[in-house]
């Protein structure tokens, strides 16, 4: 069986970079923030995940010093909002390259609603939101020590909103929530449903 091998520094020699497709599908970091002037911002990040249980820590990376990073550096707060299949088109609208004074909530027809513990609003239409306080913000660098134009933001989850119909006998129903995930290529996304569910317990 033949293998396609490449060194990223020399290029992948393919129609589209396979890196995102291989490390995927990935949950989407739909991050809402607020500027010091009170302007709300909502942006999706495909490099997002959870990194710690106790305390719960999530993080995302931003290719470029974007409004989300700027706002979080200014006030240390952000909310993560779950993207589900019914919200996919609205999420995609929040990708639009608009100036800082334009709120993506309005652009995508979404409803900002007050959070409990932080200033940035959450997305009313999203069934799950984490309210977060930033713990670390840093610029990534390569093995040569040279910094790249990507910033990593980590935050501790200090408040959790879950729509109650997604709690089945007290257990969160991931399959029923219709999460969407970012795949590879220029436009690939995936959904999660009951048909993908299987259970496998850890050895004791």
């Amino acid at each position: 069986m033949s293998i396609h091998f490449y060194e990223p520094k020399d290029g992948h020699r393919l129609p589209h970079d396979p890196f995102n497709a291989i490390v995927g599908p990935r949950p989407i970091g739909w991050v809402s923030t607020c500027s010091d002037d009170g302007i709300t911002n909502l942006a999706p990040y495909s490099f997002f995940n959870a990194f710690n249980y106790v305390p719960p820590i999530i993080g995302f990376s931003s290719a470029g010093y974007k409004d989300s990073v700027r706002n979080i550096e200014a006030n240390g707060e952000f909310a993560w909002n779950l993207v589900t299949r019914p919200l996919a088109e609205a999420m995609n609208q929040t990708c639009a390259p608009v100036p800082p004074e334009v709120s993506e909530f309005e652009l995508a027809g979404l409803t900002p609603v007050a959070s409990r513990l932080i200033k940035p609003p959450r997305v009313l239409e999203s069934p799950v939101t984490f309210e977060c306080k930033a713990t670390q913000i840093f610029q990534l660098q390569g093995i040569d020590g040279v910094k790249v134009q990507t910033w990593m933001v980590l935050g501790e989850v200090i408040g959790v909103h879950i729509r109650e119909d997604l709690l089945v006998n007290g257990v969160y129903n991931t399959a029923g929530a219709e999460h969407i995930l970012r795949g590879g290529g220029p436009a690939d996304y995936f959904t999660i449903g009951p048909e993908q569910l299987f259970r496998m317990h850890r050895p004791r």
Side-chain angles (χ1 to χ4, degrees):
M1 183 179 295
S2 61
I3 295 290
H4 177 79
F5 174 80
Y6 68 94
E7 296 181 57
K9 66 182 178 62
D10 299 326
H12 48 74
R13 306 186 308 280
L14 296 168
H16 195 274
D17 191 336
F19 180 75
N20 290 5
I22 296 167
V23 187
R26 302 176 306 282
I28 298 166
W30 207 16
V31 174
S32 52
T33 60
C34 189
S35 73
D36 284 341
D37 297 330
I39 299 171
T40 57
N41 180 269
L42 180 63
Y45 293 90
S46 68
F47 284 115
F48 164 84
N49 222 307
F51 297 101
N52 198 55
Y53 269 128
V54 182
I57 293 175
I58 62 172
F60 69 95
S61 69
S62 172
Y65 190 76
K66 297 178 181 174
D67 294 337
S68 301
V69 180
R70 183 179 298 105
N71 291 344
I72 296 168
E73 279 204 317
N75 56 50
E77 299 178 336
F78 67 96
W80 169 79
N81 306 275
L82 175 67
V83 183
T84 60
R85 187 64 185 90
L87 292 171
E89 291 299 329
M91 179 277 298
N92 197 40
Q93 289 298 313
T94 65
C95 291
V98 295
E101 61 270 17
V102 176
S103 172
E104 289 82 2
F105 280 93
E106 185 175 345
L107 191 70
L110 295 164
T111 311
V113 62
S115 298
R116 293 278 191 94
L117 305 173
I118 61 174
K119 183 179 177 182
R122 59 189 180 90
V123 177
L124 177 64
E125 291 81 3
S126 176
V128 179
T129 298
F130 293 162
E131 297 186 20
C132 304
K133 292 271 193 181
T135 57
Q136 294 171 270
I137 302 173
F138 55 93
Q139 195 172 354
L140 301 185
Q141 65 182 40
I143 55 176
D144 56 5
V146 176
K147 291 184 184 295
V148 298
Q149 293 300 303
T150 298
W151 279 259
M152 186 76 194
V153 178
L154 297 174
E156 181 175 337
V157 179
I158 62 168
V160 179
H161 303 256
I162 305 172
R163 204 175 66 202
E164 288 193 353
D165 64 295
L166 295 178
L167 298 173
V168 180
N169 297 319
V171 177
Y172 179 74
N173 183 9
T174 304
E178 296 186 275
H179 294 212
I180 68 167
L181 309 166
R182 185 69 169 98
D188 290 356
Y189 288 84
F190 295 85
T191 59
I192 292 177
E195 60 275 11
Q196 285 90 34
L197 175 63
F198 72 97
R199 291 190 168 93
M200 182 168 55
H201 295 284
R202 294 181 180 181
R204 296 185 177 180

